[in-house]
Amino acid sequence: MAERGASGGGSGGDSLDKSITLPPDEIFRNLENAKRFAIDIGGSLTKLAYYSTVQHKVAKVRSFDHPGKDVEQDHEPPYEISVQEEITARLHFIKFENTYMEACLDFIRDHLVNTETKVIQATGGGAYKFKDLIEEKLRLKVDKEDVMTCLIKGCNFVLKNIPHEAFMYQKDSDPEFRFQTNHPNIFPYLLVNIGSGVSIVKVETEDRFEWIGGSSIGGGTFWGLGALLTKTKKFDELLQLASRGRHANVDMLVQDIYGGAHQTLGLSGNLIASSFGKSATADREFSKEDMAKSLLHMISNDIGQLACLYAKLHGLDRVYFGGFFIRGHPVTMRTITYSINFFSKGEVQALFLRHEGYLGAIGAFLKGAEQDSPNQYSWGENYAASSGLMSTSPELCPTQRARSGTFDLLEMDRLERPLVNLPLLLDPSSYVPDTVDLTDDALARQYWLTCFEEALDGVVKRAVASQPESIDAAERAEKFRQKYWSKLQTLRHQPFAYGTLTVRSLLDTREHCLNEFNFPDPYSKVKQKENGLALKCFQSVTRSLDSLGWEERQLALVKGLLAGNVFDWGAKAVSDVLESDPQFGFEEAKRKLQERPWLVDSYTKWLQRLKGPPHKCALIFADNSGIDIILGVFPFVRELLFRGTEVILACNSGPALNDVTYSESLIVAEHIAAMDPIICSALREDRLLLVQTGSSSPCLDLSRLDKGLAVLVRERGADLVVIEGMGRAIHTNYHALLCCESLKLAVVKNAWLAERLGGQLFSVIFKYEVPTE
Amino acid sequence: MGAGRLGAPMERQGRAAAASAAAGESVSLDVETRRREPLRRRANSAVPSASGAAEGVRRERPGSLSGTASTVRPRGEGLRKRRPLFPWFGLDIGGTLVKLVYFEPKDITAEEEKEEVESLKSIRKYLTSNVAYGSTGIRDVHLELKDLTLCGRKGNLHFIRFPTHDMPAFIQMGKDKNFSSLHTVFCATGGGSYKFEQDFLTIGDLQLHKLDELDCLIKGILYIDSVGFNGRSQCYYFENPADSEKCQKLPFDLKNPYPLLLVNIGSGVSILAVYSKDNYKRVTGTSLGGGTFFGLCCLLTGCSTFEEALEMASRGDSTKVDKLVRDIYGGDYERFGLPGWAVASSFGNMMSKEKREAASKEDLARATLITITNNIGSIARMCALNENINQVVFVGNFLRVNTIAMRLLAYALDYWSKGQLKALFSEHEGYFGAVGALLELLKIP
């Protein structure tokens, strides 16, 4: 779309820009249900925000009226699946150049259906200038909101809701972006907003912030003084000039004053003693590039120094930088970071925000939407629709965008329920869910990107097959393929586009893309069939377990859990087997497993523990439907219950691959209860509790879990956490430290990963951990 | 300053620049090292010595005239032997400007005069009978300290400056005048004492005695303040700095100098926290200093001297160039308590083509001056807060003939600190490093 936007570029005047054809369905999406508009108009970019609802299909599972009877009949599935329309809330944020303002407003007016909207919240320096145009075009009343209040509101919002929102910029590392895991408490922090001037704001709580200082030497100084010195009018061009210049030609350096002696004195000769000190002469000409570079250093150093002085005075070490001077410009992030490191001697970190450009719009929107209490919900970045970091930076992706500042999108989904930390995390502030950082580990990144590319055909095929009655399934699946493929290509070149790249983010992005094209649950039928088949085996499995002696049974239960975990459609090695051999079952899976000693094997320690007193309450995160949950997890749960341990069984709120969902788990439990008195009474007596995780990911982020789950864990005093499966126990949480006992188990169903871990395909990880004193 | 040779390549009279030396390493020096040095020295000074007496005198802050001091200084052979040979110079070689102080003995006896070698006499006559040397050297006659007693000798202290780029000519003059035959010691400070050390040696056959510039700076300030300014006060402040009508320059008695924040504005800026005579630390510095003001003015206006830049600035209007709070908010920004007249963005109006075209060179010079000055004020204020110091002394050659900057510093410090901080200034603004070097020569503690 950018290419179209840029077609009039270069010489492009206003008249050309206004005549561009927008690709509206790709930019102003879901306008028909849009309400609550907000707009942030900056010097050159406009950010529009609105709330909308997205209608998409979801696969609902529902028991038949007489479940007990039907399950015995061979041909009947255990429950029915119906596809329903569901409405979810979504926030849309669009960034576009001010020059497109009129065209954009026209488009919005033409597509706006909802007429309840009467006002539009506006902020930013340009809000005044465009007030009349907006009121005339949209027939909405413009309500002006305070710029800084909006900025802070927006900043709080992204810091709370978007994982990996903040990052450090490190010049010499590859990639340069170091994302921060979200701190459970974001306050207090310092926000240094570098617009035309600099504002330094101390933020103490959601509603309390204070302007503690500022400086008039800011982006406007760079731009204004730069334009005077170099006759270059555009900000971006000035930055480009600066990145090519050599400031030492203009600045007086320490070595210019000390000669060569600075080394013996322990001084760094390259430090600037006097900015523009060498230009104090009428005899010499200076190049534009050199002057721009000198100016950039002068301003960045000055801001960094002031920020450090304020941080020190107020005892703060988290300093976020924003404003148009920073926005998407590696050049300025680099110089600011350098300055902060220099002046604070490493004590203060310069942090930047992925969605910094949207803070004002988000804040203005939140002000207008207070009656919807958006702050009560948790929100999640939609990877399918959002553009990603640096999407518009000409410095980083010259091919993708012909000029900076064309369209950029951010969409956030409202999550059903608020998400919180698992109370059992040892140290929530240092918890990192992901085991491998693919932004860091280039080898692993190449492998996984290729792996996901190769699996794409299969996913497309599965998606089409899941909707045989739909006439446009093939078409949508193709769109899905293109979307996800292009995301993977973006991530190959910009692994930092959506925060730290991980197997989890690749999986989540795929789920978001599938949802985007209305494939909410491609595995629903597979899961239905497998659940049906497994339920039929449940009693024979438990019977044979019950016939074993205690010690033998414990091992069999663990093996059952592991064998069940082999049934994972997300793993290509397994899906190939399952596709080709429909007879492949529980027993075959057990034979596939590695013999003990396992790759990671603390089973003996676990067995020893089992000989001791029962746990009070176990929290189990289940993985796949079918054999995994029914023949692996439930017998294990049954044994725990039998020992007197209460069990909280947590399943995903939404579908992901063939992972068991919460609603499926309810039906499965109901069916099992009908066959098994232990499960039945435990359910009835609330000793077995089924909960949802709040997640729709094949992985597990223990810092974003359903609040209800967290409450229950606390109430019941859970003292054992069982995490099952590759996605939850290896790709994530492998190194997670908990303050209670934990059991992480999985079968490594990926040869490459197995080799990395020092084993072979179908190696077993059985990691039982007891927290140290 | 020899015979028109110094600065011969230069044509413009009085081409002096804004800066003094100390600022050079604005962002360079390690605070810890700085702190350690003076402490070590203080330990050394615990050894009883004749200097103890002089130190006592300093503490008592005697009257500014020489007589008082001379009564307590021990005289006699011992001192005479340790007293260095004339000529007595102190040199401070900065990034832009060289500052030279010269002590002219006025108590020369006839016998002494007879003994005095020709070259020494010629130097004395040359320096004291001229006010300009070559085309670039200038003696600040108005700063001359008269009837000063130093090491038992009575005389006048002269203050001379010339641009650092004329150093080669200065060294050549030393060679031509056969300085090395005088067996004098050149005490020098500033970055240039390192840079030109080899040239002094190979060309002039002169050995420089290099001294730490911050030590010299502090020594110089304390000494000069103690002797006063020919009966007047050395230190002063501004009352009603923002009001052209009512603004008054008033003497300030620095009777309780510590703790003191010392802001030396040369080419760049150094900020020191001084807790006692020999306990101080360098807090920070900035590269936005006098050199930046003059450098930017040269680029923006084509001016060629510091004086010219200041003169243009005095006629300009910075509000045409800067974006004020009221330009954005129509008045005060009450949410943050910002007055409408405050500058929101320096040069912010220059983002617009129309306003660029409407701004005059004078406006640009003024805006440059205001920008640099406000920034120094702001950093100084933050340092004062962080160090919990409330008197701030601004020195350095940026402030020479620069009332606009001084009044602005005075006003800004007062306004933004709500009257908590006081900006102080000193008459000999740029010469303290050179004075400190001279004191080292004379071993005056």
Side-chain angles (χ1 to χ4, degrees):
Chain A
M1 51 191 164
E3 283 69 28
R4 273 182 264 182
S7 59
S11 64
D14 284 6
S15 53
L16 274 175
D17 287 327
K18 278 173 193 158
S19 65
I20 57 141
T21 5
L22 292 170
D25 55 325
E26 290 175 42
I27 298 175
F28 300 103
R29 295 156 26 102
N30 298 316
L31 266 181
E32 55 278 16
N33 303 314
K35 58 174 189 172
R36 304 213 188 291
F37 283 83
I39 196 163
D40 174 11
I41 309 174
S44 54
L45 294 176
T46 294
K47 282 76 67 176
L48 181 76
Y50 55 91
Y51 171 96
S52 189
T53 48
V54 192
Q55 203 170 29
H56 45 189
K57 292 190 169 59
V58 286
K60 290 273 185 199
V61 292
R62 197 167 62 95
S63 292
F64 291 114
D65 292 339
H66 312 289
K69 280 180 243 163
D70 291 337
V71 78
E72 303 303 329
Q73 293 167 21
D74 273 6
H75 58 281
E76 281 289 341
Y79 54 86
E80 62 179 340
I81 303 169
S82 62
V83 174
Q84 293 175 14
E85 295 286 336
E86 198 180 67
I87 291 172
T88 55
R90 187 176 283 189
L91 301 183
H92 292 260
F93 303 98
I94 302 112
K95 193 181 332 183
F96 57 86
E97 289 198 3
N98 288 357
T99 39
Y100 304 153
M101 180 73 85
E102 218 170 325
C104 289
L105 292 178
D106 282 336
F107 180 85
I108 294 164
R109 182 200 49 214
D110 293 346
H111 293 80
L112 204 55
V113 179
N114 183 315
T115 50
E116 287 165 39
T117 308
K118 296 279 186 267
V119 294
I120 177 166
Q121 261 65 33
T123 185
Y128 183 79
K129 185 175 160 194
F130 289 100
K131 181 173 179 282
D132 291 344
L133 186 70
I134 296 168
E135 293 197 331
E136 177 210 317
K137 293 274 181 192
L138 297 185
R139 295 178 207 105
L140 296 175
K141 188 178 158 292
V142 170
D143 254 4
K144 282 195 70 179
E145 297 290 348
D146 175 65
V147 177
M148 203 52 71
T149 310
C150 292
L151 216 54
I152 305 293
K153 264 188 178 299
C155 193
N156 293 341
F157 186 79
V158 295
L159 285 175
K160 275 189 305 190
N161 287 291
I162 307 188
H164 298 155
E165 176 61 31
F167 62 90
M168 292 192 288
Y169 187 85
Q170 290 174 330
K171 185 185 155 198
D172 294 319
S173 61
D174 179 28
E176 293 104 328
F177 306 87
R178 292 276 129 194
F179 295 95
Q180 306 278 296
T181 47
N182 285 26
H183 201 276
N185 185 11
I186 62 170
F187 305 108
Y189 65 86
L190 212 57
L191 179 68
V192 179
N193 191 59
I194 315 175
S196 46
V198 181
S199 288
I200 302 177
V201 183
K202 178 184 177 184
V203 187
E204 286 174 291
T205 66
E206 191 65 56
D207 303 304
R208 201 165 79 234
F209 64 89
E210 184 193 356
W211 184 88
I212 55 169
S215 168
S216 66
I217 299 184
T221 315
F222 179 71
W223 196 343
L225 197 45
L228 288 168
L229 292 171
T230 68
K231 315 284 178 242
T232 303
K233 297 179 193 84
K234 288 192 173 166
F235 181 75
D236 288 358
E237 287 168 21
L238 273 168
L239 278 180
Q240 280 168 29
L241 277 182
S243 53
R244 294 198 300 268
R246 291 170 54 86
H247 73 103
N249 292 335
V250 182
D251 289 341
M252 186 185 285
L253 308 186
V254 165
Q255 65 194 20
D256 295 321
I257 298 176
Y258 279 81
H262 58 88
Q263 281 149 332
T264 50
L265 290 170
L267 303 176
S268 167
N270 290 323
L271 293 175
I272 304 168
S274 174
S275 295
F276 287 91
K278 278 187 192 148
S279 70
T281 166
D283 312 333
R284 275 180 60 195
E285 291 285 316
F286 296 90
S287 84
K288 291 178 177 186
E289 287 82 359
D290 295 349
M291 288 188 290
K293 178 72 162 218
S294 173
L295 188 60
L296 175 68
H297 277 302
M298 174 179 108
I299 290 167
S300 301
N301 283 337
D302 194 54
I303 295 169
Q305 179 173 25
L306 279 168
C308 286
L309 285 167
Y310 280 101
K312 188 179 170 199
L313 190 64
H314 293 266
L316 299 170
D317 56 2
R318 265 178 292 172
V319 184
Y320 300 100
F321 285 86
F324 80 73
F325 184 69
I326 295 295
R327 198 155 302 159
H329 299 298
V331 184
T332 53
M333 289 194 281
R334 191 178 303 154
T335 52
I336 287 284
T337 300
Y338 173 84
S339 172
I340 289 285
N341 287 341
F342 179 84
F343 283 106
S344 79
K345 300 185 176 69
E347 280 172 27
V348 176
Q349 278 179 353
L351 295 168
F352 305 95
L353 300 169
R354 281 203 287 141
H355 300 101
E356 187 278 321
Y358 288 111
L359 300 187
I362 293 173
F365 169 81
L366 292 172
K367 280 219 73 145
E370 266 157 7
Q371 63 196 91
D372 291 335
S373 343
N375 263 324
Q376 282 180 6
Y377 296 93
S378 287
W379 300 79
E381 180 180 12
N382 188 302
Y383 294 136
S386 301
S387 307
L389 187 62
M390 299 286 147
S391 73
T392 56
S393 169
E395 294 156 65
L396 281 179
C397 16
T399 50
Q400 259 186 305
R401 295 287 191 272
R403 60 195 270 195
S404 71
T406 27
F407 301 98
D408 182 276
L409 312 179
L410 165 64
E411 294 186 11
M412 295 185 71
D413 290 316
R414 191 176 78 193
L415 307 177
E416 291 295 314
R417 308 172 64 168
L419 303 182
V420 295
N421 273 310
L422 178 67
L424 299 172
L425 282 175
L426 189 63
D427 177 17
S429 61
S430 66
Y431 168 72
V432 178
D434 305 286
T435 307
V436 179
D437 179 345
L438 300 181
T439 28
D440 240 3
D441 188 336
L443 223 68
R445 177 167 77 236
Q446 296 316 326
Y447 170 76
W448 285 111
L449 284 169
T450 307
C451 181
F452 277 86
E453 278 171 12
E454 285 171 2
L456 188 52
D457 277 344
V459 178
V460 169
K461 221 163 80 188
R462 173 64 52 193
V464 177
S466 72
Q467 298 180 354
E469 69 291 347
S470 164
I471 44 166
D472 65 345
E475 192 187 321
R476 281 184 287 117
E478 189 49 36
K479 281 185 181 164
F480 154 74
R481 180 210 299 277
Q482 284 168 16
K483 183 109 192 175
Y484 189 55
W485 181 264
S486 84
K487 291 276 168 195
L488 291 174
Q489 301 322 304
T490 302
L491 289 167
R492 260 195 203 281
H493 298 111
Q494 297 158 252
F496 48 79
Y498 296 92
T500 302
L501 183 67
T502 59
V503 175
R504 176 167 66 108
S505 71
L506 286 168
L507 284 164
D508 289 354
T509 305
R510 190 167 70 188
E511 295 301 324
H512 291 177
C513 289
L514 280 167
N515 275 324
E516 183 72 29
F517 296 101
N518 263 321
F519 293 107
D521 194 356
Y523 290 88
S524 56
K525 296 240 163 61
V526 174
K527 289 187 286 182
Q528 181 193 38
K529 182 172 148 236
E530 291 183 347
N531 282 333
L533 289 172
L535 281 171
K536 289 196 189 80
C537 306
F538 179 78
Q539 278 175 307
S540 72
V541 167
T542 48
R543 262 197 302 274
S544 92
L545 283 167
D546 290 347
S547 69
L548 299 171
W550 183 83
E551 246 187 73
E552 240 182 321
R553 187 165 75 243
Q554 301 314 314
L555 183 61
L557 281 166
V558 165
K559 280 189 173 169
L561 258 181
L562 293 163
N565 196 245
V566 168
F567 293 86
D568 183 349
W569 284 86
K572 202 167 177 296
V574 176
S575 62
D576 287 349
V577 172
L578 296 177
E579 296 270 11
S580 59
D581 178 10
Q583 297 307 311
F584 187 84
F586 197 39
E587 293 309 314
E588 287 80 1
K590 279 184 190 164
R591 283 195 291 275
K592 282 257 183 207
L593 290 181
Q594 182 191 13
E595 286 299 319
R596 283 195 71 197
W598 296 318
L599 188 55
V600 174
D601 191 340
S602 36
Y603 176 73
T604 314
K605 200 170 137 199
W606 169 246
L607 186 71
Q608 211 51 41
R609 171 65 186 86
L610 288 181
K611 289 175 181 163
H615 296 90
K616 186 171 186 312
C617 172
L619 168 65
I620 301 179
F621 291 98
D623 187 1
N624 305 308
S625 340
I627 290 175
D628 194 353
I629 180 91
I630 294 164
L631 304 183
V633 175
F634 264 99
F636 185 78
V637 167
R638 187 169 168 270
E639 180 75 13
L640 286 172
L641 291 166
F642 184 71
R643 277 169 61 77
T645 302
E646 293 180 345
V647 176
I648 303 169
L649 183 62
C651 300
N652 267 3
S653 301
L657 293 169
N658 66 324
D659 290 10
V660 60
T661 64
Y662 169 65
S663 31
E664 286 159 358
S665 75
L666 290 176
I667 294 175
V668 164
E670 195 184 339
H671 281 278
I672 291 175
M675 299 182 271
D676 187 280
I678 296 179
I679 298 290
C680 184
S681 62
L683 278 173
R684 202 175 50 231
E685 293 157 15
D686 277 350
R687 285 183 291 111
L688 170 59
L689 301 138
L690 274 57
V691 295
Q692 52 186 316
T693 59
S695 163
S696 305
S697 165
C699 295
L700 180 63
D701 179 352
L702 295 176
S703 68
R704 279 167 73 85
L705 287 177
D706 189 278
K707 200 173 178 176
L709 184 155
V711 169
L712 205 58
V713 160
R714 239 190 231 108
E715 277 176 7
R716 298 288 167 125
D719 54 356
L720 171 68
V721 175
V722 181
I723 307 176
E724 189 216 357
M726 265 205 333
R728 290 173 183 79
I730 298 181
H731 293 320
T732 54
N733 299 309
Y734 192 67
H735 302 302
L737 296 176
L738 300 174
C739 55
C740 66
E741 291 170 50
S742 63
L743 198 52
K744 296 165 188 171
L745 41 87
V747 179
V748 187
K749 290 152 285 188
N750 174 295
W752 184 86
L753 183 63
E755 197 189 328
R756 258 211 166 194
L757 294 167
Q760 292 174 334
L761 191 64
F762 298 114
S763 286
V764 167
I765 302 290
F766 187 94
K767 202 175 178 192
Y768 168 61
E769 291 167 306
V770 180
T772 48
E773 292 303 310
Chain B
M1 305 126 184
R5 189 183 296 241
L6 175 64
M10 305 301 302
E11 284 156 23
R12 288 176 296 273
Q13 178 68 26
R15 197 198 139 79
S20 85
E25 21 49 66
S26 71
V27 287
S28 64
L29 297 178
D30 174 29
V31 172
E32 283 309 306
T33 323
R34 285 287 174 204
R35 229 203 210 293
R36 256 181 275 123
E37 280 180 36
L39 287 175
R40 193 189 60 223
R41 257 195 305 281
R42 183 164 50 179
N44 291 343
S45 73
V47 178
S49 72
S51 65
E55 197 176 323
V57 170
R58 279 265 295 290
R59 286 271 160 79
E60 286 158 30
R61 316 193 68 70
S64 55
L65 293 178
S66 54
T68 331
S70 64
T71 56
V72 283
R73 280 214 177 87
R75 285 191 151 221
E77 282 307 297
L79 181 69
R80 208 179 136 76
K81 269 190 187 143
R82 285 191 290 129
R83 194 158 60 201
L85 296 168
F86 286 126
W88 292 354
F89 284 117
L91 194 59
D92 176 2
I93 311 168
T96 314
L97 220 49
V98 181
K99 283 75 64 176
L100 179 72
V101 295
Y102 168 66
F103 181 78
E104 174 205 1
K106 298 293 273 186
D107 54 359
I108 298 177
T109 58
E111 189 189 350
E112 257 185 312
E113 178 120 28
K114 239 170 79 188
E115 280 175 21
E116 195 177 32
V117 294
E118 200 44 47
S119 54
L120 184 58
K121 195 169 293 171
S122 116
I123 290 167
R124 181 157 54 88
K125 295 269 189 279
Y126 174 67
L127 288 177
T128 56
S129 58
N130 291 305
V131 293
Y133 314 95
S135 55
T136 61
I138 286 176
R139 182 154 63 90
D140 283 313
V141 183
H142 68 286
L143 293 180
E144 185 177 330
L145 293 177
K146 296 195 160 68
D147 294 332
L148 201 65
T149 300
L150 270 176
C151 272
R153 298 299 302 252
K154 209 168 207 185
N156 297 342
L157 198 55
H158 297 276
F159 297 87
I160 296 158
R161 61 186 150 92
F162 61 91
T164 303
H165 59 70
D166 287 333
M167 255 336 266
F170 179 78
I171 294 169
Q172 187 61 42
M173 180 196 74
K175 178 191 164 82
D176 296 346
K177 299 221 163 197
N178 209 8
F179 264 38
S180 58
S181 69
L182 295 169
H183 304 289
T184 187
V185 178
F186 258 96
C187 275
T189 186
S193 61
Y194 291 88
K195 186 177 177 179
F196 295 103
E197 182 180 19
Q198 200 55 36
D199 290 351
F200 269 98
L201 198 63
T202 52
I203 301 170
D205 191 24
L206 289 164
Q207 178 74 51
L208 282 191
H209 182 51
K210 301 193 298 297
L211 296 162
D212 180 90
E213 56 187 291
L214 300 183
D215 285 353
C216 287
L217 176 67
I218 288 172
K219 245 182 216 297
I221 286 176
L222 295 173
Y223 176 78
I224 291 287
D225 189 66
S226 74
V227 299
F229 184 24
N230 299 327
R232 286 182 283 135
S233 171
Q234 177 65 227
C235 190
Y236 61 93
Y237 71 102
F238 288 93
E239 191 140 286
N240 304 313
D243 188 330
S244 309
E245 306 274 292
K246 285 196 238 159
C247 177
Q248 260 189 306
K249 175 181 162 182
L250 295 171
F252 185 84
D253 185 2
L254 201 61
K255 55 179 177 295
N256 297 312
Y258 311 116
L260 178 80
L261 197 75
L262 182 60
V263 183
N264 185 35
I265 317 173
S267 313
V269 182
S270 276
I271 300 180
L272 316 178
V274 188
Y275 301 100
S276 74
K277 190 170 75 67
D278 40 21
N279 179 15
Y280 71 88
K281 67 171 180 183
R282 184 176 187 281
V283 179
T284 187
T286 164
S287 70
L288 285 82
T292 314
F293 162 66
F294 184 37
L296 278 173
C297 274
C298 287
L299 294 171
L300 293 171
T301 71
C303 70
S304 53
T305 65
F306 180 66
E307 289 77 3
E308 193 184 345
L310 282 182
E311 197 275 328
M312 284 176 114
S314 71
R315 286 183 284 122
D317 177 2
S318 60
T319 64
K320 293 203 171 124
V321 179
D322 294 339
K323 193 170 273 204
L324 307 187
V325 168
R326 65 165 180 258
D327 296 333
I328 300 174
Y329 298 100
D332 298 348
Y333 186 25
E334 280 159 22
R335 179 75 181 75
F336 284 167
L338 285 174
W341 52 259
V343 184
S345 172
S346 296
F347 287 84
N349 280 342
M350 298 297 92
M351 291 186 276
S352 131
K353 185 166 177 279
E354 296 73 40
K355 288 185 174 158
R356 276 201 296 276
E357 283 161 1
S360 70
K361 289 187 169 184
E362 288 77 9
D363 297 337
L364 294 176
R366 178 75 164 214
T368 310
L369 182 59
I370 300 295
T371 302
I372 299 298
T373 308
N374 267 329
N375 190 59
I376 294 169
S378 173
I379 292 172
R381 184 174 62 87
M382 288 308 295
C383 291
L385 284 173
N386 272 327
E387 301 299 324
N388 201 16
I389 296 177
N390 56 26
Q391 49 187 6
V392 185
V393 179
F394 293 92
V395 298
N397 269 327
F398 171 67
L399 301 173
R400 197 172 59 77
V401 295
N402 194 351
T403 318
I404 300 175
M406 287 191 280
R407 282 175 51 187
L408 183 57
L409 285 171
Y411 180 68
L413 228 57
D414 180 72
Y415 180 86
W416 295 111
S417 76
K418 301 189 171 71
Q420 294 301 298
L421 298 177
K422 195 166 197 74
L424 304 171
F425 305 93
S426 199
E427 298 284 357
H428 285 80
E429 56 241 335
Y431 282 107
F432 301 114
V435 171
L438 174 66
L439 295 173
E440 279 292 333
L441 171 74
L442 304 177
K443 302 277 188 295
I444 295 176

